[in-house]
């Protein structure tokens, strides 16, 4: 059972990392959420990959800040909001059933609300502690 768990987490980590890498070059596909998911899954079943992700010069600090403080930088919030808005506009001009359009609108509104309530910077007292 333990081996199956490790294999599943490694597979999730690889798939998430692959999607994140594709997102680097493909507009519209987010990178950071997939890298965060890859780091989470690697932490459960692939410590070596987790260590490499945490040591990455660009994504390592993002992973640390997410894990410690739940931080989402403003640029990430803006990019996510723009992509969700674009998705909704395309959805509403599509031939999807009205129920799907309404459900997607409600879901993305809830995600946007949650996202914009996340902190953008670490608390000042913690920033001072980390400078010491």
């Amino acid at each position: 059972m333990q081996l199956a768990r490790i294999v599943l987490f490694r597979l999730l980590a690889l798939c998430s990392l692959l999607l994140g890498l594709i997102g680097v070059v493909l507009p519209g596909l987010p990178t950071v959420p997939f890298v965060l998911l890859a780091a989470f899954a690697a932490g459960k079943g692939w410590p070596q990959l987790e260590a490499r992700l945490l040591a990455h010069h660009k994504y390592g600090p993002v992973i640390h800040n997410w894990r410690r403080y739940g931080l989402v930088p403003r640029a990430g919030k803006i990019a996510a909001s723009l992509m969700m808005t674009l998705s909704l506009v395309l959805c509403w001009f599509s031939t999807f059933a009205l129920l799907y359009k309404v459900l997607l609108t409600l879901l993305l509104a809830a995600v946007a609300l949650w996202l914009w309530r996340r902190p953008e910077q670490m608390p000042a007292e913690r920033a001072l502690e980390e400078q010491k």
Side-chain angles (χ1 to χ4, degrees):
M1 189 64 177
Q2 183 68 12
L3 179 61
R5 182 179 176 271
I6 289 172
V7 169
L8 286 175
F9 275 117
R10 285 185 177 197
L11 185 61
L12 177 61
L14 278 177
C15 290
S16 300
L17 191 56
L18 180 62
L19 286 170
L21 290 172
I22 292 170
V24 169
V25 295
L26 186 65
L29 186 64
T31 299
V32 174
F34 288 116
V35 172
L36 290 173
L37 181 58
F40 166 78
K44 301 290 185 185
W46 203 345
Q48 299 88 346
L49 178 60
E50 179 189 31
R52 287 189 68 180
L53 290 171
L54 290 172
H56 191 273
H57 66 91
K58 183 175 181 179
Y59 297 111
V62 174
I63 296 167
H64 281 291
N65 287 337
W66 172 254
R67 285 181 173 180
R68 281 189 177 159
Y69 311 110
L71 297 184
V72 178
R74 181 167 296 215
K77 292 177 179 182
I78 291 170
S81 297
L82 289 173
M83 294 309 297
M84 287 188 286
T85 302
L86 177 63
S87 297
L88 279 177
V89 168
L90 292 174
C91 175
W92 279 94
F93 282 111
S94 73
T95 59
F96 288 138
L98 180 62
L99 176 65
Y100 294 131
K101 292 176 183 180
V102 170
L103 288 176
L104 183 62
T105 301
L106 293 173
L107 175 68
L108 291 184
V111 170
L113 178 65
W114 173 84
L115 179 66
W116 281 95
R117 293 179 51 103
R118 306 300 315 155
E120 295 175 0
Q121 304 173 28
M122 71 177 74
E125 62 273 1
R126 295 216 175 143
L128 291 174
E129 289 174 11
E130 288 192 8
Q131 288 178 353
K132 292 179 183 179

